Amino acid sequence: MPDTSKYSVLFEPVKIGPLTARNRFYQVPHCCGMGHVRPQAHAAMREIKAEGGWAVVSTEETEIHPTSDLSPYAEQRLWDDRDIPALRLMTDRVHDNGALAAIELVHNGNHAQNLLTRGPILAPSDMSLSVAYPKQARAMDKADICEFRRWHRNAARRAKQAGFDIVYVYAGHRMTLTQHFLLPEYNDRIDEYGGSLENRSRLIRELLEETHEEVGDSCAVAFRFAVDEMMGADGMQAQEEGCAVVEMLAEVPDLWDVNVSDWTNDSATTRYEPNDGYQTPYIEFVKQLTSKPVVAVGRLNSPDMMVSMVKRGIVDFIGAARPSIADPFLPEKIRTDRIEEIRECIGCNICVSSDTLGVPIRCTQNPTMGEEWRRGWHPEKIDPKKDQDAALVVGAGPAGLECAVQLAKRGYQVTLAEAGNTLGGRAVREARLTGLAAWRRVADHRIYDLQQRANIEAFLDSRMSAADVTELGISNVFVATGASWRRDGVGRTSRLPFKSESPETIMTPDDIMNGLLPNAGPLVIYDDDQAYLAGVLAEHLVARSRDITFVTPASVVSPFTEYTLEQARIQRSLIEKGVKIITGHKLVAVTNSSCEIRCIYTEQPRHLACATLLPVTERIRQSDLFEELQGNARSGIETLELIGDAAMPGLIADAVYSGHMAARNFEVDPEDVAKQLFRREIVSLKNA
Ligand code: ADP
Ligand code: SF4
């Protein structure tokens, strides 16, 4: 018998105010790009978490008033009674699955631009908006503060009407009015809401007490508080005012949900915070100061770490946003001693990028995330196979592995052929680069799964030609042969190759991932991909090459990583490591000792010393095998599908999704598949 008692402490019920949570697993509030815009998709996604065993399932931030209008982003909204039914969808589903539903009420102060409502922007003091937009927030007068308290109270009442069990007051992420009142940097008031810490925290105390008065008979009141801004003496520090706030308000909320601020620190990626549990040193004091339950986060993936945190008296609840996204069934897998089956979060923040782009959530590890309602996908269930018996998957990168595992789960006999000597493709190759080690988990999870199944046979060192495939005689073939990086500089900025007199000076990202190193002498990295890889390569190579110049047509390094909350860290890291950065330039020519770049605005040329050029621009799809098979009418193949990067180069998340989709849709009527995509939440034409 497996020893499940080791984890039994995680399944103890815990009291929160008037309620009891069934265990210690707490899905803290997290954004998902669904919010008030896609309430059915939202409810279905939260429902899966409840089904997966979380004791508490929370919303994302919920705007309480039109002066906290986060449009065009899709957060929750509880401006008035008309917003109640959409939220009721979630609470009913969460309750049906035995969990408590929590709602994170928010007023975003100067973080809200009010682009839709054009309402006044409110802050403790006069100030600019937190985002680059030419408007300013105005200092709230006493009447404004009274109004704000009334809005919050009304929202708490509506939250209760919508069926929520836990109602939040939220002071975190540098995005909320209550936190802005707390921080001297934002608050230079001279009345009873400014000056001393007691004054700056007055509004929070009032909101907590008023929320209690309004809904405390049946709901618990949670306080989400960022104890440390990770700015040293320039911001709130856990050991200074962070601690004093907890001391002052210790028994006022029914639950402390503590983290670090801002969002980039709270949701740090593994690239810069490789250790799971990285927030513990900041929050571990909290429980000593309060008798109320404490929940904390920090990519808590490991059940052993969870047990240790509870036993050491650091937390009562294991908080999770990303681990609950990567594996909504994490609690259930621990409870039933299926630890090895947990799909661990890799800390890549592609989930975050959906919210920052204003589209429904997606996840690298969990391709079903965000598709629970639209496509009816479940992270643990898949329909059994139909008439066909066998399938061949060619290529064992993220797309091929996911496709093979899901096909096997459906009951097909799967043959997986991989040209290389390892499984995992780019997930393993990129994980060799500095900062990306955790990305291996994408391969590891799937390799473990396929090893448990008798109906998958994986063959390494098996490069398949069209003749090999035909000879094998399997009539359903999924081709996941990936893509390779271009050498010629063609990309977003230039559709023509750069001039090259010495191809031997050029290396590609694939060369580096395969273990080759640049020549001695100056290295020029040319990034027109503008995502993450060129920055990773610069960090990877900086230890080996002292003279690196990073050239990009973009105006900052790795602009896509703004969406994953990493851009500032990447740029800082490259500067600190001595990488020279040239923005706003494109590459036009390379010789054996120099390269020519030009300003993208003026065409003014510059010449850089260059012993090795590493262009990171675009990938070429490896689709030859697919095309050959497609052209061979006598191959005997009934189903032939190109998936992953070979079909459309993208993120690892896209490759996994593509593999999953192909496996799910195999032997499904194409019309039914098309219907999934067009399942939409249509705006009502009723005047409300
Ligand atoms: P994706 O992200 O789409 O999964 P990857 O580039 O990570 O793509 O993986 C593609 C995998 O396919 C690589 O491991 C590569 O070695 C393998 N591969 C490419 N061509 C063949 C082939 N003809 N036969 C077998 N494996 C192949
Ligand atoms: Fe974790 Fe990445 Fe999934 Fe987000 S997208 S939950 S960071 S694996």
Side-chain angles (χ1 to χ4, degrees):
M1 277 290 284
D3 176 21
T4 47
S5 58
K6 177 167 162 196
Y7 302 117
S8 57
V9 68
L10 301 175
F11 295 92
E12 291 167 352
V14 182
K15 268 189 76 62
I16 318 175
L19 308 162
T20 302
R22 61 180 163 181
N23 61 40
R24 296 184 186 272
F25 291 92
Y26 192 119
Q27 182 244 282
V28 297
H30 72 74
C31 297
C32 62
M34 290 167 172
H36 69 280
V37 182
R38 303 174 182 94
Q40 302 191 78
H42 176 256
M45 183 270 284
R46 303 291 183 196
E47 177 182 23
I48 293 281
K49 310 275 194 98
E51 189 192 334
W54 299 86
V56 178
V57 177
S58 309
T59 60
E60 58 272 60
E61 57 184 339
T62 304
E63 305 161 359
I64 60 167
H65 189 262
T67 54
S68 179
D69 156 31
L70 291 169
S71 306
Y73 300 102
E75 311 303 334
Q76 285 299 349
R77 204 159 260 184
L78 198 41
W79 290 356
D80 59 46
D81 288 355
R82 290 168 298 178
D83 295 311
I84 292 174
L87 285 161
R88 175 57 86 174
L89 291 178
M90 166 187 163
T91 57
D92 283 347
R93 304 273 189 97
V94 167
H95 291 154
D96 287 348
N97 287 277
L100 300 174
I103 182 165
E104 185 184 49
L105 301 182
V106 70
H107 194 296
N108 294 93
N110 82 330
H111 183 68
Q113 299 171 62
N114 297 344
L115 292 172
L116 174 72
T117 62
R118 304 182 78 171
I121 298 167
L122 304 175
S125 308
D126 280 351
M127 67 183 70
S128 307
L129 295 195
S130 68
V131 289
Y133 192 82
K135 258 190 187 182
Q136 289 189 203
R138 70 165 157 76
M140 293 164 75
D141 61 20
K142 290 283 179 53
D144 291 328
I145 293 177
C146 270
E147 275 298 271
F148 168 53
R149 288 166 55 190
R150 192 174 65 79
W151 301 334
H152 202 281
R153 192 188 265 272
N154 287 345
R157 191 186 64 250
R158 292 185 185 114
K160 181 178 163 183
Q161 285 167 4
F164 285 99
D165 308 288
I166 300 172
V167 180
Y168 269 81
V169 173
Y170 170 29
H173 294 130
R174 282 172 89 80
M175 290 178 187
T176 72
L177 192 51
T178 41
Q179 190 188 22
H180 298 161
F181 268 83
L182 201 53
L183 302 174
E185 200 190 334
Y186 284 77
N187 180 347
D188 60 12
R189 302 177 74 93
I190 50 168
D191 62 5
E192 67 270 35
Y193 289 98
S196 68
L197 183 63
E198 195 181 349
N199 282 356
R200 283 181 278 122
S201 59
R202 183 178 308 280
L203 185 58
I204 291 172
R205 181 186 284 277
E206 287 169 345
L207 295 184
L208 287 167
E209 289 173 351
E210 287 161 5
T211 307
H212 254 298
E213 268 171 35
E214 193 63 36
V215 300
D217 57 331
S218 60
C219 298
V221 179
F223 180 36
R224 191 171 214 201
F225 172 51
V227 299
D228 199 301
E229 292 186 275
M230 300 179 84
M231 295 163 63
D234 291 340
M236 177 159 292
Q237 290 178 281
Q239 297 315 319
E240 309 271 332
E241 288 201 333
C243 177
V245 169
V246 180
E247 261 172 348
M248 255 180 349
L249 299 173
E251 302 301 313
V252 184
D254 295 314
L255 171 105
W256 284 86
D257 176 345
V258 284
N259 63 357
V260 295
S261 182
D262 55 10
W263 194 14
T264 65
N265 291 318
D266 187 23
S267 290
T269 55
T270 40
R271 188 166 165 193
Y272 292 104
E273 286 288 357
N275 297 328
D276 291 351
Y278 57 88
Q279 296 199 22
T280 305
Y282 296 92
I283 59 85
E284 61 192 353
F285 73 90
V286 175
K287 232 185 107 55
Q288 291 152 30
L289 300 180
T290 175
S291 68
K292 305 293 178 167
V294 173
V295 55
V297 291
R299 260 192 350 259
L300 303 177
N301 277 309
S302 148
D304 289 333
M305 180 186 279
M306 295 173 191
V307 169
S308 153
M309 286 177 75
V310 173
K311 290 201 167 158
R312 284 186 293 144
I314 293 169
V315 292
D316 300 280
F317 285 105
I318 303 303
R322 289 173 296 175
S324 79
I325 294 166
D327 199 335
F329 275 63
L330 185 147
E332 195 50 20
K333 287 178 184 174
I334 298 176
R335 193 184 68 77
T336 52
D337 201 40
R338 292 182 290 138
I339 308 291
E340 302 294 332
E341 290 180 31
I342 295 171
R343 248 188 327 271
E344 284 185 313
C345 166
I346 69 166
C348 62
N349 278 6
I350 291 305
C351 49
V352 171
S353 77
S354 325
D355 183 66
T356 48
L357 284 160
V359 293
I361 191 164
R362 61 216 57 203
C363 168
T364 303
Q365 275 286 54
N366 174 10
T368 67
M369 177 50 50
E371 298 290 1
E372 300 83 356
W373 179 81
R374 181 170 67 165
R375 294 192 186 274
W377 288 0
H378 188 287
E380 303 302 314
K381 295 181 195 156
I382 191 162
D383 286 343
K385 73 174 201 66
K386 293 189 177 164
D387 306 329
Q388 296 289 317
D389 291 320
L392 168 68
V393 179
V394 183
L401 276 177
E402 176 68 11
C403 183
V405 164
Q406 296 302 334
L407 286 170
K409 229 171 161 176
R410 291 189 62 189
Y412 299 101
Q413 180 63 43
V414 179
T415 304
L416 175 62
E418 163 56 45
N421 59 9
T422 49
L423 299 174
R426 66 182 282 204
V428 167
R429 292 189 311 129
E430 290 184 27
R432 290 181 194 139
L433 301 174
T434 302
L436 302 188
W439 291 23
R440 248 206 85 90
R441 293 171 181 176
V442 173
D444 291 344
H445 171 70
R446 292 165 174 85
I447 293 169
Y448 173 80
D449 191 311
L450 72 83
Q451 284 167 346
Q452 309 313 303
R453 296 181 190 280
N455 60 335
I456 302 191
E457 267 192 296
F459 296 92
L460 295 174
D461 300 312
S462 304
R463 179 170 292 280
M464 302 293 282
S465 64
D468 296 332
V469 172
T470 311
E471 195 180 318
L472 212 55
I474 300 173
S475 53
N476 305 298
V477 182
F478 297 86
V479 179
T481 41
S484 53
W485 287 94
R486 299 185 78 115
R487 254 169 216 282
D488 58 5
V490 170
R492 182 170 281 115
T493 305
S494 174
R495 299 311 307 164
L496 296 174
F498 50 69
K499 289 196 202 93
S500 166
E501 286 173 16
S502 56
E504 66 280 4
T505 55
I506 300 168
M507 294 186 84
T508 70
D510 292 312
D511 295 332
I512 307 294
M513 288 188 269
N514 290 336
L516 298 179
L517 287 174
N519 300 326
L523 168 67
V524 174
I525 298 177
Y526 176 58
D527 181 20
D528 201 14
D529 175 47
Q530 305 188 20
Y532 62 89
L533 191 63
V536 170
L537 288 166
E539 288 188 321
H540 184 73
L541 294 171
V542 82
R544 295 161 182 90
S545 172
R546 256 180 260 127
D547 187 359
I548 299 184
T549 306
F550 188 102
V551 179
T552 176
S555 51
V556 294
V557 166
S558 306
F560 170 79
T561 61
E562 294 273 8
Y563 301 124
T564 55
L565 312 179
E566 294 170 292
Q567 195 283 325
R569 284 180 197 231
I570 296 169
Q571 191 130 359
R572 181 170 72 225
S573 164
L574 296 194
I575 293 168
E576 284 173 354
K577 287 174 177 151
V579 173
K580 295 185 276 294
I581 296 170
I582 302 177
T583 57
H585 280 71
K586 63 185 176 188
L587 184 74
V588 292
V590 59
T591 68
N592 64 359
S593 61
S594 75
C595 65
E596 182 186 329
I597 59 173
R598 286 206 189 141
C599 171
I600 57 165
Y601 305 105
T602 64
E603 295 287 329
Q604 183 76 24
R606 273 174 79 171
H607 291 87
L608 305 174
C610 172
T612 307
L613 172 70
L614 176 53
V616 186
T617 61
E618 218 174 77
R619 279 176 288 166
I620 298 173
R621 298 186 299 119
Q622 299 301 307
S623 54
D624 301 359
L625 173 65
F626 173 79
E627 278 145 25
E628 231 183 294
L629 290 169
Q630 220 178 13
N632 182 353
R634 287 199 301 276
S635 64
I637 293 175
E638 286 180 39
T639 304
L640 177 65
E641 200 170 329
L642 188 64
I643 60 174
D645 287 308
M648 189 185 70
L651 294 165
I652 293 178
D654 298 315
V656 172
Y657 181 77
S658 162
H660 190 91
M661 168 108 75
R664 282 240 181 213
N665 291 342
F666 179 41
E667 293 201 274
V668 176
D669 184 338
E671 276 192 23
D672 290 340
V673 175
K675 273 188 212 148
Q676 291 170 7
L677 189 58
F678 291 102
R679 188 149 192 235
R680 294 188 291 144
E681 304 197 45
I682 308 279
V683 173
S684 163
L685 295 179
K686 233 172 46 191
N687 284 330

